[in-house]
Every structure is written in C-alpha cells, then in structure tokens.
Amino acid sequence: MIRTTLATALLVGALAVDAAAQQGMKVYISADMEGVVGTVTSDQLGPGGFEYQRFRHFMTEEVNAAIEAARAMGATEILVSDSHGNGENLLIEEMPQDVQLVRSWPRPLEMMEGIDDTFDAVIFIGYHASTHNTEGVRAHTISSASFTAVRVNGVDMMEASLNAAIAGDFGVPVVMISGDDGAVAEAQSMLGDIEGAITKWHYGFHSARTLMPEASYRSIGEKVRAALGRLDDFQPYRMEGPVELELSFKNYMPAELLAYLPSVDRVDSHTIRFVGRDMTEVSKFIVFTTNYAIGVTP
Ligand SMILES: [Zn+2]
C-alpha cells in the first residue's frame, strides 16, 4: 500500500516535471569555487591548500547536481566552464560523459567562454559577492589583488553581472545562481528575480556557517529545476553599446601604464576608462589587463 502510494506520488511528480520541461534546451554552466559549499579560505581554493583536493570534488558535485536537474528539465546540450583559479578544478572523470568542459586561461570571454546565441539559459555555480560588497565570503571582482572596482556603463559590477552582460550580448538570460547569501542577494538585486541556492551564510570575508555537501547539491538541483521550469520569465541582462568600462586598480602603476594606450583614458590616479563596441571587446580588454606581462610565456 505504502509502495503503491509512493509510486503514484513519484509518477505524478515525474509528470509534473515533464509538463514544465522544454525538450532540446541548451544550457551553459559557469562554475566558480568561492561560493561552493564549505569553502571559506585559500585552504580550499587552490593547489596549495590542504583541503583543495577534497573541495574540487564538492565543486564538481555541485556542477553535476545542476547538470542532472537541467537534463530532467529537457536540456540536451550542456557546456560547463571551469572558471576559478587555474581553470583546472573540476574533476573531469567525475562528470557525465555527454557534457563538454572549458578549461584553463586565458580565453577571450573568460568565465563565459563558449557562450553563443544558440544557448537558452545560463547557470552560475559557486559564485561570490563583489569587491565593493561587505556581505560575502571572499568577496572580490575578477582579481582580489588587482581591482577595487569594475564599472560597466556606470554600474558597479560583480562577476555575476559582468558575465550576465556577456551572455546578454548573445541574448541569453541568467536563470539561477548558487553561492553564499551575499552573492545570491547581490546577484538578485542586479539581475532581477533569478533563482538562488544559498550554500552558506557569511560571517565575514573568511568565515561562514555552511550547509553540508549533500544538502547543497539538493538545493542546487531544486533551484535549477525551478528556474528552467519558468524560462519565459527571464530577460537577457544587456549593456547597450558602445560599452564604457572603468577599472580601478589597487596600485598606481597599472593605471599609469595602461593610459599609454591611445584607446585608454586615465580617469584618476588609480582608474582607467576603455570603451568597447560590445561586451566581447570589453571582456578581451579585461583579460589583457589581468594577464599581460613582458615575461609572459610561451
Ligand atoms: Zn573564483
């Protein structure tokens, strides 16, 4: 009797999911690590950290939870970009065989490399708050060592909004984000009513109260299903071109040297302005400023 009831409930549940699913959907997943369940310091976030190898697994499982939920909602093509640190965090052998993965840097569209106008939705996993936000674990924008502000068309950006604007150039909306409470709140304030899976609650830059991994995977799955079940609710986040980028550096010298370029204006001692035709040009400029050095090899 119990079994029959359970089977009926599962069947009804499955039918409900099917009704909202859109067959043939194409989904882009950009995965960072600071917002992954349990991450609080560099102990989890890079090869030098004593917990890094284990947290690569948790990051991979959060991405897998999003993949599984997207598939349940009708996604047939999924591209994942490994978008943290060295770009080589996700454990490729633990991922499903029918997705593809973008790895390592530099790449012109950075955390959004591979996005184009054939995608239906973008999902952010493991994201964090911006450098100007006091409410978030490891809050920074692109490089915590380099930038105090990244502004696009006068708007102070977080990585989620910057990446949403890149997707917006291709007409693709962001529908869901996972990360700490600060990241989710900031993204929702900038991008509108996207779904948010909170993995932990910040106490400070290096401290949080966190979910357990399985609970995080479950929550991510639920929010991805909810988002893809109401795809028509979301609009692309568009920046009108020409796109004006302002970068404020922690140090003086990057602003001085970049202002030698005829395409760059010095706004003040630590800030430069670059105007690009679209977000792709702006993204390439940011990648250049964060990667170029005379000793760069090969
Ligand atoms: Zn990161």
Side-chain angles (χ1 to χ4, degrees):
M1 185 64 192
I2 291 168
R3 191 168 294 172
T4 310
T5 309
L6 186 62
T8 309
L10 286 173
L11 187 63
V12 170
L15 287 174
V17 169
D18 278 348
Q22 299 194 18
Q23 281 307 313
M25 217 186 323
K26 199 168 163 182
V27 173
Y28 186 96
I29 300 175
S30 175
D32 203 347
M33 197 168 191
E34 288 86 346
V36 166
V37 67
T39 60
V40 278
T41 69
S42 49
D43 290 336
Q44 297 84 41
L45 291 169
F50 80 102
E51 290 192 309
Y52 173 66
Q53 296 304 336
R54 283 167 41 233
F55 277 76
R56 295 175 73 189
H57 168 75
F58 301 141
M59 178 190 185
T60 306
E61 285 300 306
E62 288 196 352
V63 168
N64 286 349
I67 292 170
E68 192 181 320
R71 274 226 207 80
M73 297 305 290
T76 48
E77 266 186 81
I78 297 171
L79 180 62
V80 180
S81 65
D82 190 328
S83 295
H84 168 80
N86 55 21
E88 298 160 327
N89 309 279
L90 291 168
L91 297 166
I92 195 166
E93 70 276 21
E94 292 185 12
M95 295 177 70
Q97 293 303 303
D98 56 351
V99 303
Q100 292 187 355
L101 179 62
V102 177
R103 306 187 81 207
S104 189
W105 323 97
R107 49 202 201 214
L109 295 183
E110 231 174 13
M111 301 172 80
M112 297 303 290
E113 190 55 65
I115 188 82
D116 63 33
D117 60 8
T118 64
F119 284 88
D120 297 290
V122 170
I123 289 167
F124 294 147
I125 297 296
Y127 268 49
H128 51 82
S130 72
T131 188
H132 57 271
N133 193 339
T134 56
E135 312 277 308
V137 176
R138 300 283 293 204
H140 69 274
T141 308
I142 303 171
S143 165
S144 46
S146 304
F147 297 127
T148 54
V150 177
R151 238 167 269 114
V152 176
N153 285 357
V155 180
D156 274 310
M157 298 301 250
M158 64 189 301
E159 288 175 19
S161 63
L162 195 71
N163 294 336
I166 292 172
D169 262 8
F170 297 98
V172 188
V174 175
V175 302
M176 185 271 181
I177 185 168
S178 76
D180 71 359
D181 56 337
V184 170
E186 188 177 0
Q188 287 173 334
S189 76
M190 298 194 75
L191 305 178
D193 182 30
I194 62 172
E195 295 286 340
I198 296 175
T199 59
K200 61 197 167 197
W201 291 263
H202 76 281
Y203 289 130
F205 191 81
H206 273 157
S207 168
R209 170 171 55 88
T210 182
L211 291 178
M212 294 301 109
E214 293 288 343
S216 180
Y217 312 152
R218 214 164 29 241
S219 167
I220 286 169
E222 282 165 15
K223 298 295 182 181
V224 168
R225 279 191 295 276
L228 295 178
R230 58 182 188 93
L231 204 49
D232 293 343
D233 290 353
F234 305 103
Q235 299 296 321
Y237 180 74
R238 288 183 197 274
M239 284 289 159
E240 291 307 316
V243 184
E244 184 186 275
L245 170 72
E246 279 187 12
L247 293 175
S248 294
F249 295 91
K250 283 192 174 160
N251 292 310
Y252 187 99
M253 197 54 77
E256 177 174 314
L257 284 173
L258 282 164
Y260 283 5
L261 299 171
S263 56
V264 173
D265 291 323
R266 186 96 175 254
V267 176
D268 60 37
S269 59
H270 287 68
T271 306
I272 54 109
R273 181 189 300 121
F274 168 83
V275 178
R277 197 172 42 227
D278 52 24
M279 284 303 299
T280 295
E281 274 195 9
V282 163
S283 178
K284 283 181 181 171
F285 182 81
I286 294 173
V287 174
F288 175 82
T289 63
T290 49
N291 286 275
Y292 182 74
I294 190 64
V296 73
T297 55

PDB file of all heavy atoms in Angstrom, residues 151-157 161-170 190-191 236-244 276-280 282:
ATOM      1  N   ARG A 151      33.540  48.851 -13.346  1.00  0.00           N
ATOM      2  CA  ARG A 151      32.285  49.538 -13.655  1.00  0.00           C
ATOM      3  C   ARG A 151      31.979  49.408 -15.143  1.00  0.00           C
ATOM      4  O   ARG A 151      32.872  49.591 -15.966  1.00  0.00           O
ATOM      5  CB  ARG A 151      32.422  51.021 -13.294  1.00  0.00           C
ATOM      6  CG  ARG A 151      31.413  51.524 -12.286  1.00  0.00           C
ATOM      7  CD  ARG A 151      31.789  52.898 -11.739  1.00  0.00           C
ATOM      8  NE  ARG A 151      32.597  52.781 -10.536  1.00  0.00           N
ATOM      9  CZ  ARG A 151      33.882  53.153 -10.431  1.00  0.00           C
ATOM     10  NH1 ARG A 151      34.523  53.683 -11.448  1.00  0.00           N
ATOM     11  NH2 ARG A 151      34.502  52.985  -9.286  1.00  0.00           N
ATOM     12  N   VAL A 152      30.748  49.079 -15.478  1.00  0.00           N
ATOM     13  CA  VAL A 152      30.348  49.000 -16.884  1.00  0.00           C
ATOM     14  C   VAL A 152      29.143  49.903 -17.094  1.00  0.00           C
ATOM     15  O   VAL A 152      28.139  49.769 -16.378  1.00  0.00           O
ATOM     16  CB  VAL A 152      30.018  47.553 -17.300  1.00  0.00           C
ATOM     17  CG1 VAL A 152      29.502  47.509 -18.737  1.00  0.00           C
ATOM     18  CG2 VAL A 152      31.248  46.664 -17.180  1.00  0.00           C
ATOM     19  N   ASN A 153      29.273  50.831 -18.036  1.00  0.00           N
ATOM     20  CA  ASN A 153      28.223  51.840 -18.280  1.00  0.00           C
ATOM     21  C   ASN A 153      27.757  52.470 -16.964  1.00  0.00           C
ATOM     22  O   ASN A 153      26.559  52.660 -16.730  1.00  0.00           O
ATOM     23  CB  ASN A 153      27.036  51.227 -19.041  1.00  0.00           C
ATOM     24  CG  ASN A 153      27.372  51.000 -20.508  1.00  0.00           C
ATOM     25  OD1 ASN A 153      28.457  51.350 -20.969  1.00  0.00           O
ATOM     26  ND2 ASN A 153      26.448  50.405 -21.253  1.00  0.00           N
ATOM     27  N   GLY A 154      28.723  52.751 -16.081  1.00  0.00           N
ATOM     28  CA  GLY A 154      28.415  53.437 -14.831  1.00  0.00           C
ATOM     29  C   GLY A 154      27.914  52.541 -13.704  1.00  0.00           C
ATOM     30  O   GLY A 154      27.690  53.017 -12.594  1.00  0.00           O
ATOM     31  N   VAL A 155      27.744  51.247 -13.978  1.00  0.00           N
ATOM     32  CA  VAL A 155      27.225  50.323 -12.960  1.00  0.00           C
ATOM     33  C   VAL A 155      28.387  49.558 -12.322  1.00  0.00           C
ATOM     34  O   VAL A 155      29.208  48.967 -13.024  1.00  0.00           O
ATOM     35  CB  VAL A 155      26.231  49.310 -13.583  1.00  0.00           C
ATOM     36  CG1 VAL A 155      25.702  48.354 -12.521  1.00  0.00           C
ATOM     37  CG2 VAL A 155      25.095  50.040 -14.287  1.00  0.00           C
ATOM     38  N   ASP A 156      28.468  49.572 -10.986  1.00  0.00           N
ATOM     39  CA  ASP A 156      29.466  48.773 -10.281  1.00  0.00           C
ATOM     40  C   ASP A 156      29.120  47.304 -10.447  1.00  0.00           C
ATOM     41  O   ASP A 156      28.046  46.862 -10.043  1.00  0.00           O
ATOM     42  CB  ASP A 156      29.491  49.140  -8.792  1.00  0.00           C
ATOM     43  CG  ASP A 156      30.408  50.318  -8.523  1.00  0.00           C
ATOM     44  OD1 ASP A 156      31.565  50.275  -8.983  1.00  0.00           O
ATOM     45  OD2 ASP A 156      29.958  51.280  -7.869  1.00  0.00           O
ATOM     46  N   MET A 157      30.058  46.538 -11.019  1.00  0.00           N
ATOM     47  CA  MET A 157      29.758  45.159 -11.379  1.00  0.00           C
ATOM     48  C   MET A 157      30.281  44.151 -10.363  1.00  0.00           C
ATOM     49  O   MET A 157      31.286  44.373  -9.700  1.00  0.00           O
ATOM     50  CB  MET A 157      30.381  44.829 -12.738  1.00  0.00           C
ATOM     51  CG  MET A 157      29.856  45.667 -13.882  1.00  0.00           C
ATOM     52  SD  MET A 157      28.067  45.512 -14.096  1.00  0.00           S
ATOM     53  CE  MET A 157      27.995  44.600 -15.629  1.00  0.00           C
ATOM     54  N   SER A 161      27.207  39.798 -12.656  1.00  0.00           N
ATOM     55  CA  SER A 161      26.559  40.742 -13.574  1.00  0.00           C
ATOM     56  C   SER A 161      27.416  40.972 -14.817  1.00  0.00           C
ATOM     57  O   SER A 161      26.907  41.119 -15.928  1.00  0.00           O
ATOM     58  CB  SER A 161      26.253  42.062 -12.865  1.00  0.00           C
ATOM     59  OG  SER A 161      27.432  42.698 -12.440  1.00  0.00           O
ATOM     60  N   LEU A 162      28.734  40.985 -14.631  1.00  0.00           N
ATOM     61  CA  LEU A 162      29.636  41.114 -15.781  1.00  0.00           C
ATOM     62  C   LEU A 162      29.422  39.945 -16.754  1.00  0.00           C
ATOM     63  O   LEU A 162      29.296  40.127 -17.968  1.00  0.00           O
ATOM     64  CB  LEU A 162      31.081  41.129 -15.277  1.00  0.00           C
ATOM     65  CG  LEU A 162      32.152  41.608 -16.230  1.00  0.00           C
ATOM     66  CD1 LEU A 162      32.039  43.106 -16.453  1.00  0.00           C
ATOM     67  CD2 LEU A 162      33.535  41.291 -15.662  1.00  0.00           C
ATOM     68  N   ASN A 163      29.362  38.747 -16.201  1.00  0.00           N
ATOM     69  CA  ASN A 163      29.163  37.558 -17.033  1.00  0.00           C
ATOM     70  C   ASN A 163      27.755  37.503 -17.611  1.00  0.00           C
ATOM     71  O   ASN A 163      27.556  37.041 -18.738  1.00  0.00           O
ATOM     72  CB  ASN A 163      29.477  36.301 -16.217  1.00  0.00           C
ATOM     73  CG  ASN A 163      30.949  36.233 -15.850  1.00  0.00           C
ATOM     74  OD1 ASN A 163      31.779  36.827 -16.521  1.00  0.00           O
ATOM     75  ND2 ASN A 163      31.268  35.532 -14.776  1.00  0.00           N
ATOM     76  N   ALA A 164      26.796  38.013 -16.843  1.00  0.00           N
ATOM     77  CA  ALA A 164      25.418  38.089 -17.352  1.00  0.00           C
ATOM     78  C   ALA A 164      25.354  39.041 -18.542  1.00  0.00           C
ATOM     79  O   ALA A 164      24.614  38.809 -19.502  1.00  0.00           O
ATOM     80  CB  ALA A 164      24.474  38.557 -16.250  1.00  0.00           C
ATOM     81  N   ALA A 165      26.158  40.127 -18.478  1.00  0.00           N
ATOM     82  CA  ALA A 165      26.171  41.095 -19.580  1.00  0.00           C
ATOM     83  C   ALA A 165      26.811  40.494 -20.831  1.00  0.00           C
ATOM     84  O   ALA A 165      26.404  40.798 -21.956  1.00  0.00           O
ATOM     85  CB  ALA A 165      26.903  42.365 -19.156  1.00  0.00           C
ATOM     86  N   ILE A 166      27.822  39.637 -20.645  1.00  0.00           N
ATOM     87  CA  ILE A 166      28.411  38.933 -21.797  1.00  0.00           C
ATOM     88  C   ILE A 166      27.353  38.024 -22.428  1.00  0.00           C
ATOM     89  O   ILE A 166      27.133  38.039 -23.642  1.00  0.00           O
ATOM     90  CB  ILE A 166      29.659  38.124 -21.367  1.00  0.00           C
ATOM     91  CG1 ILE A 166      30.784  39.085 -20.957  1.00  0.00           C
ATOM     92  CG2 ILE A 166      30.116  37.196 -22.491  1.00  0.00           C
ATOM     93  CD1 ILE A 166      31.993  38.402 -20.334  1.00  0.00           C
ATOM     94  N   ALA A 167      26.667  37.256 -21.586  1.00  0.00           N
ATOM     95  CA  ALA A 167      25.588  36.392 -22.101  1.00  0.00           C
ATOM     96  C   ALA A 167      24.491  37.230 -22.734  1.00  0.00           C
ATOM     97  O   ALA A 167      23.895  36.835 -23.745  1.00  0.00           O
ATOM     98  CB  ALA A 167      25.017  35.542 -20.962  1.00  0.00           C
ATOM     99  N   GLY A 168      24.252  38.425 -22.157  1.00  0.00           N
ATOM    100  CA  GLY A 168      23.211  39.319 -22.671  1.00  0.00           C
ATOM    101  C   GLY A 168      23.489  39.768 -24.094  1.00  0.00           C
ATOM    102  O   GLY A 168      22.565  39.949 -24.887  1.00  0.00           O
ATOM    103  N   ASP A 169      24.767  39.942 -24.431  1.00  0.00           N
ATOM    104  CA  ASP A 169      25.137  40.302 -25.805  1.00  0.00           C
ATOM    105  C   ASP A 169      24.678  39.229 -26.802  1.00  0.00           C
ATOM    106  O   ASP A 169      24.451  39.513 -27.970  1.00  0.00           O
ATOM    107  CB  ASP A 169      26.663  40.442 -25.926  1.00  0.00           C
ATOM    108  CG  ASP A 169      27.111  41.899 -25.824  1.00  0.00           C
ATOM    109  OD1 ASP A 169      26.263  42.753 -25.505  1.00  0.00           O
ATOM    110  OD2 ASP A 169      28.303  42.164 -26.070  1.00  0.00           O
ATOM    111  N   PHE A 170      24.592  38.003 -26.330  1.00  0.00           N
ATOM    112  CA  PHE A 170      24.155  36.895 -27.186  1.00  0.00           C
ATOM    113  C   PHE A 170      22.672  36.577 -26.991  1.00  0.00           C
ATOM    114  O   PHE A 170      22.170  35.568 -27.496  1.00  0.00           O
ATOM    115  CB  PHE A 170      25.010  35.648 -26.908  1.00  0.00           C
ATOM    116  CG  PHE A 170      26.470  35.850 -27.239  1.00  0.00           C
ATOM    117  CD1 PHE A 170      27.384  36.179 -26.240  1.00  0.00           C
ATOM    118  CD2 PHE A 170      26.920  35.740 -28.544  1.00  0.00           C
ATOM    119  CE1 PHE A 170      28.728  36.388 -26.540  1.00  0.00           C
ATOM    120  CE2 PHE A 170      28.259  35.935 -28.857  1.00  0.00           C
ATOM    121  CZ  PHE A 170      29.167  36.263 -27.852  1.00  0.00           C
ATOM    122  N   MET A 190      20.851  42.801  -8.848  1.00  0.00           N
ATOM    123  CA  MET A 190      21.325  43.317 -10.136  1.00  0.00           C
ATOM    124  C   MET A 190      20.612  42.700 -11.332  1.00  0.00           C
ATOM    125  O   MET A 190      20.385  43.362 -12.337  1.00  0.00           O
ATOM    126  CB  MET A 190      22.824  43.081 -10.279  1.00  0.00           C
ATOM    127  CG  MET A 190      23.647  43.805  -9.220  1.00  0.00           C
ATOM    128  SD  MET A 190      25.399  43.835  -9.632  1.00  0.00           S
ATOM    129  CE  MET A 190      25.415  45.077 -10.934  1.00  0.00           C
ATOM    130  N   LEU A 191      20.286  41.410 -11.224  1.00  0.00           N
ATOM    131  CA  LEU A 191      19.786  40.677 -12.397  1.00  0.00           C
ATOM    132  C   LEU A 191      18.295  40.403 -12.339  1.00  0.00           C
ATOM    133  O   LEU A 191      17.731  39.837 -13.276  1.00  0.00           O
ATOM    134  CB  LEU A 191      20.548  39.349 -12.545  1.00  0.00           C
ATOM    135  CG  LEU A 191      22.081  39.451 -12.619  1.00  0.00           C
ATOM    136  CD1 LEU A 191      22.703  38.066 -12.715  1.00  0.00           C
ATOM    137  CD2 LEU A 191      22.514  40.308 -13.802  1.00  0.00           C
ATOM    138  N   PRO A 236      17.407  38.614 -20.990  1.00  0.00           N
ATOM    139  CA  PRO A 236      18.865  38.809 -21.017  1.00  0.00           C
ATOM    140  C   PRO A 236      19.229  40.125 -20.328  1.00  0.00           C
ATOM    141  O   PRO A 236      18.459  41.082 -20.383  1.00  0.00           O
ATOM    142  CB  PRO A 236      19.180  38.881 -22.518  1.00  0.00           C
ATOM    143  CG  PRO A 236      18.010  38.272 -23.211  1.00  0.00           C
ATOM    144  CD  PRO A 236      16.817  38.516 -22.336  1.00  0.00           C
ATOM    145  N   TYR A 237      20.375  40.141 -19.662  1.00  0.00           N
ATOM    146  CA  TYR A 237      20.880  41.359 -18.998  1.00  0.00           C
ATOM    147  C   TYR A 237      21.798  42.058 -20.007  1.00  0.00           C
ATOM    148  O   TYR A 237      22.920  41.629 -20.243  1.00  0.00           O
ATOM    149  CB  TYR A 237      21.644  40.938 -17.749  1.00  0.00           C
ATOM    150  CG  TYR A 237      22.246  42.063 -16.924  1.00  0.00           C
ATOM    151  CD1 TYR A 237      21.441  42.884 -16.142  1.00  0.00           C
ATOM    152  CD2 TYR A 237      23.621  42.270 -16.899  1.00  0.00           C
ATOM    153  CE1 TYR A 237      21.996  43.897 -15.353  1.00  0.00           C
ATOM    154  CE2 TYR A 237      24.188  43.275 -16.113  1.00  0.00           C
ATOM    155  CZ  TYR A 237      23.361  44.075 -15.354  1.00  0.00           C
ATOM    156  OH  TYR A 237      23.911  45.067 -14.575  1.00  0.00           O
ATOM    157  N   ARG A 238      21.300  43.116 -20.616  1.00  0.00           N
ATOM    158  CA  ARG A 238      22.020  43.726 -21.739  1.00  0.00           C
ATOM    159  C   ARG A 238      22.659  45.054 -21.358  1.00  0.00           C
ATOM    160  O   ARG A 238      22.042  45.868 -20.696  1.00  0.00           O
ATOM    161  CB  ARG A 238      21.048  43.993 -22.900  1.00  0.00           C
ATOM    162  CG  ARG A 238      20.596  42.752 -23.630  1.00  0.00           C
ATOM    163  CD  ARG A 238      19.710  43.195 -24.797  1.00  0.00           C
ATOM    164  NE  ARG A 238      18.904  42.110 -25.323  1.00  0.00           N
ATOM    165  CZ  ARG A 238      19.319  41.259 -26.248  1.00  0.00           C
ATOM    166  NH1 ARG A 238      20.528  41.356 -26.735  1.00  0.00           N
ATOM    167  NH2 ARG A 238      18.520  40.307 -26.676  1.00  0.00           N
ATOM    168  N   MET A 239      23.886  45.266 -21.823  1.00  0.00           N
ATOM    169  CA  MET A 239      24.547  46.558 -21.723  1.00  0.00           C
ATOM    170  C   MET A 239      24.551  47.164 -23.120  1.00  0.00           C
ATOM    171  O   MET A 239      25.056  46.557 -24.061  1.00  0.00           O
ATOM    172  CB  MET A 239      25.998  46.396 -21.242  1.00  0.00           C
ATOM    173  CG  MET A 239      26.111  46.108 -19.763  1.00  0.00           C
ATOM    174  SD  MET A 239      25.701  47.571 -18.789  1.00  0.00           S
ATOM    175  CE  MET A 239      25.284  46.812 -17.214  1.00  0.00           C
ATOM    176  N   GLU A 240      23.962  48.338 -23.255  1.00  0.00           N
ATOM    177  CA  GLU A 240      23.909  48.973 -24.570  1.00  0.00           C
ATOM    178  C   GLU A 240      25.310  49.385 -25.016  1.00  0.00           C
ATOM    179  O   GLU A 240      26.093  49.918 -24.223  1.00  0.00           O
ATOM    180  CB  GLU A 240      23.002  50.209 -24.527  1.00  0.00           C
ATOM    181  CG  GLU A 240      21.523  49.890 -24.341  1.00  0.00           C
ATOM    182  CD  GLU A 240      21.006  48.878 -25.373  1.00  0.00           C
ATOM    183  OE1 GLU A 240      21.351  49.016 -26.568  1.00  0.00           O
ATOM    184  OE2 GLU A 240      20.284  47.942 -24.970  1.00  0.00           O
ATOM    185  N   GLY A 241      25.640  49.127 -26.298  1.00  0.00           N
ATOM    186  CA  GLY A 241      26.929  49.540 -26.842  1.00  0.00           C
ATOM    187  C   GLY A 241      26.874  50.946 -27.385  1.00  0.00           C
ATOM    188  O   GLY A 241      25.777  51.396 -27.715  1.00  0.00           O
ATOM    189  N   PRO A 242      28.010  51.666 -27.531  1.00  0.00           N
ATOM    190  CA  PRO A 242      29.327  51.238 -27.058  1.00  0.00           C
ATOM    191  C   PRO A 242      29.372  51.127 -25.533  1.00  0.00           C
ATOM    192  O   PRO A 242      28.721  51.897 -24.842  1.00  0.00           O
ATOM    193  CB  PRO A 242      30.262  52.343 -27.571  1.00  0.00           C
ATOM    194  CG  PRO A 242      29.385  53.526 -27.808  1.00  0.00           C
ATOM    195  CD  PRO A 242      28.032  52.999 -28.148  1.00  0.00           C
ATOM    196  N   VAL A 243      30.150  50.133 -25.065  1.00  0.00           N
ATOM    197  CA  VAL A 243      30.176  49.814 -23.642  1.00  0.00           C
ATOM    198  C   VAL A 243      31.382  50.478 -22.978  1.00  0.00           C
ATOM    199  O   VAL A 243      32.523  50.269 -23.396  1.00  0.00           O
ATOM    200  CB  VAL A 243      30.252  48.285 -23.433  1.00  0.00           C
ATOM    201  CG1 VAL A 243      30.168  47.948 -21.953  1.00  0.00           C
ATOM    202  CG2 VAL A 243      29.137  47.592 -24.198  1.00  0.00           C
ATOM    203  N   GLU A 244      31.112  51.299 -21.956  1.00  0.00           N
ATOM    204  CA  GLU A 244      32.177  52.016 -21.255  1.00  0.00           C
ATOM    205  C   GLU A 244      32.616  51.225 -20.014  1.00  0.00           C
ATOM    206  O   GLU A 244      31.827  50.973 -19.118  1.00  0.00           O
ATOM    207  CB  GLU A 244      31.673  53.388 -20.826  1.00  0.00           C
ATOM    208  CG  GLU A 244      32.749  54.230 -20.189  1.00  0.00           C
ATOM    209  CD  GLU A 244      32.182  55.532 -19.643  1.00  0.00           C
ATOM    210  OE1 GLU A 244      32.069  56.488 -20.423  1.00  0.00           O
ATOM    211  OE2 GLU A 244      31.846  55.570 -18.442  1.00  0.00           O
ATOM    212  N   GLY A 276      34.450  49.896 -25.419  1.00  0.00           N
ATOM    213  CA  GLY A 276      34.419  48.795 -26.387  1.00  0.00           C
ATOM    214  C   GLY A 276      33.121  48.792 -27.167  1.00  0.00           C
ATOM    215  O   GLY A 276      32.117  49.344 -26.724  1.00  0.00           O
ATOM    216  N   ARG A 277      33.169  48.154 -28.339  1.00  0.00           N
ATOM    217  CA  ARG A 277      31.975  48.073 -29.192  1.00  0.00           C
ATOM    218  C   ARG A 277      30.888  47.265 -28.493  1.00  0.00           C
ATOM    219  O   ARG A 277      29.710  47.561 -28.572  1.00  0.00           O
ATOM    220  CB  ARG A 277      32.380  47.395 -30.506  1.00  0.00           C
ATOM    221  CG  ARG A 277      31.402  47.572 -31.646  1.00  0.00           C
ATOM    222  CD  ARG A 277      31.992  47.027 -32.940  1.00  0.00           C
ATOM    223  NE  ARG A 277      32.693  45.771 -32.734  1.00  0.00           N
ATOM    224  CZ  ARG A 277      33.908  45.496 -33.224  1.00  0.00           C
ATOM    225  NH1 ARG A 277      34.549  46.386 -33.945  1.00  0.00           N
ATOM    226  NH2 ARG A 277      34.469  44.323 -32.994  1.00  0.00           N
ATOM    227  N   ASP A 278      31.306  46.215 -27.792  1.00  0.00           N
ATOM    228  CA  ASP A 278      30.343  45.330 -27.127  1.00  0.00           C
ATOM    229  C   ASP A 278      31.038  44.642 -25.951  1.00  0.00           C
ATOM    230  O   ASP A 278      32.212  44.910 -25.671  1.00  0.00           O
ATOM    231  CB  ASP A 278      29.800  44.290 -28.118  1.00  0.00           C
ATOM    232  CG  ASP A 278      30.923  43.550 -28.846  1.00  0.00           C
ATOM    233  OD1 ASP A 278      32.053  43.486 -28.304  1.00  0.00           O
ATOM    234  OD2 ASP A 278      30.691  43.050 -29.946  1.00  0.00           O
ATOM    235  N   MET A 279      30.346  43.742 -25.265  1.00  0.00           N
ATOM    236  CA  MET A 279      30.913  43.092 -24.081  1.00  0.00           C
ATOM    237  C   MET A 279      32.075  42.161 -24.434  1.00  0.00           C
ATOM    238  O   MET A 279      32.959  41.932 -23.608  1.00  0.00           O
ATOM    239  CB  MET A 279      29.824  42.312 -23.330  1.00  0.00           C
ATOM    240  CG  MET A 279      28.883  43.180 -22.521  1.00  0.00           C
ATOM    241  SD  MET A 279      29.709  44.230 -21.273  1.00  0.00           S
ATOM    242  CE  MET A 279      30.492  42.995 -20.236  1.00  0.00           C
ATOM    243  N   THR A 280      32.083  41.633 -25.659  1.00  0.00           N
ATOM    244  CA  THR A 280      33.203  40.786 -26.059  1.00  0.00           C
ATOM    245  C   THR A 280      34.497  41.601 -26.081  1.00  0.00           C
ATOM    246  O   THR A 280      35.532  41.153 -25.575  1.00  0.00           O
ATOM    247  CB  THR A 280      32.931  40.145 -27.441  1.00  0.00           C
ATOM    248  OG1 THR A 280      31.806  39.271 -27.314  1.00  0.00           O
ATOM    249  CG2 THR A 280      34.131  39.363 -27.930  1.00  0.00           C
ATOM    250  N   VAL A 282      35.046  44.375 -24.405  1.00  0.00           N
ATOM    251  CA  VAL A 282      35.323  44.743 -23.013  1.00  0.00           C
ATOM    252  C   VAL A 282      35.962  43.566 -22.271  1.00  0.00           C
ATOM    253  O   VAL A 282      36.933  43.724 -21.528  1.00  0.00           O
ATOM    254  CB  VAL A 282      34.023  45.207 -22.313  1.00  0.00           C
ATOM    255  CG1 VAL A 282      34.174  45.204 -20.798  1.00  0.00           C
ATOM    256  CG2 VAL A 282      33.633  46.596 -22.811  1.00  0.00           C
TER     257      VAL A 282
END
